[in-house]
Amino acid sequence: MPAKTVMNPEDIRRTLSRIAHEITERNKDTSALVLVGMQTRGVPLANRLAALIQGFEGVQVPVGALDFSLYRDDLNRRNFNPQVKSTDIPVSIDDKIIILVDDVLYTGRSTRAAMDALIDYGRPRVIQLAVLIDRGHRELPIRADYVGKNIPSAATEDIKVKLAETDDTDEVIIASEEVTP
């Protein structure tokens, strides 16, 4: 199957706008909000959501970046060296409403690792999850509080989120992975 675009730049913009509204509607105490982007593409998504919330509510929401690679449960099962990125959480997360932001929710294992990493920085009041794409296939009992788009997919398909900040374009594509016999 050739790659198919499932979200274009306007779709992504509208979706993030809706998620930002949902976050502020659910969390009336916007002064307690902290957006934490999961490295890599969760970080620009968190920054975009913060800018949208500031535009809607006039509130500047702190944004952090979280590297969770050393918290993964498959480090000893894979033959790879994780590329450790920076973690920068600019405020205390104690008693804050943390919105963990990622591009794609798949098995739930990255989210679990990110929550473990986050707890090392403090004790939030609550952790909520916002994702641009939920593709299903959960292996852990994790669900997103805010979902941009549900894209049911086969395990042999790959969903790629491209963002202007990291890839020079905004789009979401789905493609079949090459399977070698």
Side-chain angles (χ1 to χ4, degrees), residues 70-138:
L70 296 178
Y71 291 82
R72 294 187 57 96
D73 63 1
D74 58 357
L75 284 178
N76 62 349
R77 298 178 70 173
R78 290 182 168 183
N79 190 15
F80 79 105
N81 294 320
Q83 291 187 1
V84 178
K85 297 174 178 62
S86 65
T87 291
D88 176 26
I89 300 177
V91 296
S92 168
I93 65 168
D94 290 329
D95 201 37
K96 298 290 187 189
I97 300 167
I98 304 300
I99 310 294
L100 198 56
V101 182
D102 200 8
D103 58 347
V104 178
L105 177 58
Y106 184 33
T107 64
R109 291 184 181 276
S110 293
T111 302
R112 188 223 32 94
M115 287 190 294
D116 285 351
L118 196 59
I119 296 304
D120 279 352
Y121 291 90
R123 188 177 191 283
R125 181 185 321 168
V126 65
I127 299 172
Q128 298 171 2
L129 177 62
V131 297
L132 184 63
I133 304 295
D134 183 343
R135 67 173 288 186
H137 301 282
R138 220 68 81 237

Side-chain angles (χ1 to χ4, degrees), residues 26-53:
R26 181 170 175 182
N27 300 288
K28 300 300 180 197
D29 184 7
T30 54
S31 66
L33 284 176
V34 178
L35 297 174
V36 177
M38 293 168 57
Q39 291 281 20
T40 295
R41 286 172 185 79
V43 176
L45 291 172
N47 282 313
R48 291 185 194 190
L49 288 168
L52 289 164
I53 291 169

